[in-house]
Amino acid sequence: MVRPSSPPSFRLKAVLVLVAVVAFVVSPIWSPSFKGYDPTQFPNPVDAPAIQPAGWAFSIWSLIYLWLVAHALWGLLRHNDDAGWDRTRLPLLLSTGLGASWLVVATSMPWLATLQIWLMWALALWAMMRARDAGQPALCAGPIGLYTGWLTAASAVGTGVVLIGYNIGSEITVTLLMLCVVAAISLAIVLLARPPRTFAIAVIWALIGVIAANWGDGVVMLPASIFALALAAVAWRDLLPKAQAVGR
């Protein structure tokens, strides 16, 4: 049986996704060094805002980058005619395309970078929702879920840093507010949308980073820990009956 050729639009979008993802991955090369917003960019400079995870937590970007490249390559080479995969391409293309310029924007206009990362998140969420039924979750929904989960936390963190930097609320108030935003959004998505578990893993990783950065400060550690445990319980709730059955 001869396999039907893929629509030209499918192939074109698959190529464009690969180009956008690669541009996103290599963007640190042509962008200024970025290790968080420079405190001097704000009227109220804070060296280490409480909402910001420990530096090592950002290493998750290496996995996100590699997995997105694998997704784009596999999608082009093996799924360029797959309608399920194609449904994820437009939002992922737009999200990673915006991501390719995010570092440049962040080093000069933090408030605009905040708006940009929320738009990246919304587009990534759209792609993740479309990826749930695409097949081969390890290479389709998995990487998009990890990317979306991290953007969920990163968007709130970036917003918190900007609010603190512009004196719109105290550091603790803004930190607790943004932790609640992360918890509310991620729990709602997990409960209502049943995303890939990589989504929850990324959010929990970010919360662990916040806990580590605020070690010893119960005001931040306690809610961050509760939110991380709650998200884990909800994301893996379907395993509980199986575990109980094995125990019997």
Side-chain angles (χ1 to χ4, degrees):
M1 180 178 180
V2 178
R3 189 177 183 179
S5 60
S6 59
S9 62
F10 281 21
R11 292 193 297 272
L12 176 60
K13 279 186 282 185
V15 170
L16 291 176
V17 166
L18 179 59
V19 171
V21 167
V22 170
F24 184 35
V25 170
V26 303
S27 62
I29 296 175
W30 64 66
S31 304
S33 177
F34 185 82
K35 297 180 180 179
Y37 291 122
D38 186 341
T40 61
Q41 292 177 282
F42 304 106
N44 177 35
V46 178
D47 289 331
I51 188 60
Q52 189 164 294
W56 51 258
F58 293 88
S59 63
I60 194 175
W61 273 116
S62 297
L63 178 57
I64 292 171
Y65 285 151
L66 288 173
W67 213 353
L68 284 177
V69 170
H71 163 86
L73 278 172
W74 194 251
L76 175 62
L77 298 176
R78 301 300 297 270
H79 291 276
N80 62 61
D81 58 351
D82 189 320
W85 280 57
D86 186 72
R87 294 178 70 242
T88 71
R89 286 175 179 140
L90 178 60
L92 185 61
L93 166 63
L94 295 174
S95 180
T96 54
L98 282 170
S101 65
W102 188 85
L103 289 174
V104 173
V105 176
T107 56
S108 56
M109 292 179 286
W111 62 271
L112 182 58
T114 301
L115 297 175
Q116 185 170 337
I117 199 170
W118 277 110
L119 182 55
M120 290 166 58
W121 168 79
L123 291 164
L125 178 62
W126 180 16
M128 183 182 72
M129 298 294 289
R130 289 186 158 196
R132 290 178 300 176
D133 303 318
Q136 288 196 315
L139 283 172
C140 190
I144 298 176
L146 193 72
Y147 173 56
T148 307
W150 183 255
L151 285 183
T152 302
S155 300
V157 168
T159 301
V161 172
V162 170
L163 290 176
I164 294 167
Y166 283 105
N167 280 308
I168 306 175
S170 69
E171 182 177 356
I172 292 301
T173 300
V174 170
T175 296
L176 295 178
L177 175 62
M178 289 301 106
L179 286 176
C180 289
V181 168
V182 171
I185 291 176
S186 56
L187 285 169
I189 290 173
V190 170
L191 283 169
L192 300 176
R194 302 300 295 250
R197 287 199 177 101
T198 51
F199 171 84
I201 289 171
V203 177
I204 292 169
W205 178 259
L207 290 172
I208 292 172
V210 172
I211 294 168
N214 293 275
W215 193 258
D217 182 0
V219 175
V220 176
M221 282 180 57
L222 183 59
S225 300
I226 291 172
F227 293 155
L229 290 172
L231 183 57
V234 171
W236 280 270
R237 66 191 183 279
D238 59 318
L239 298 181
L240 184 58
K242 297 177 183 179
Q244 291 176 340
V246 172
R248 294 173 186 170

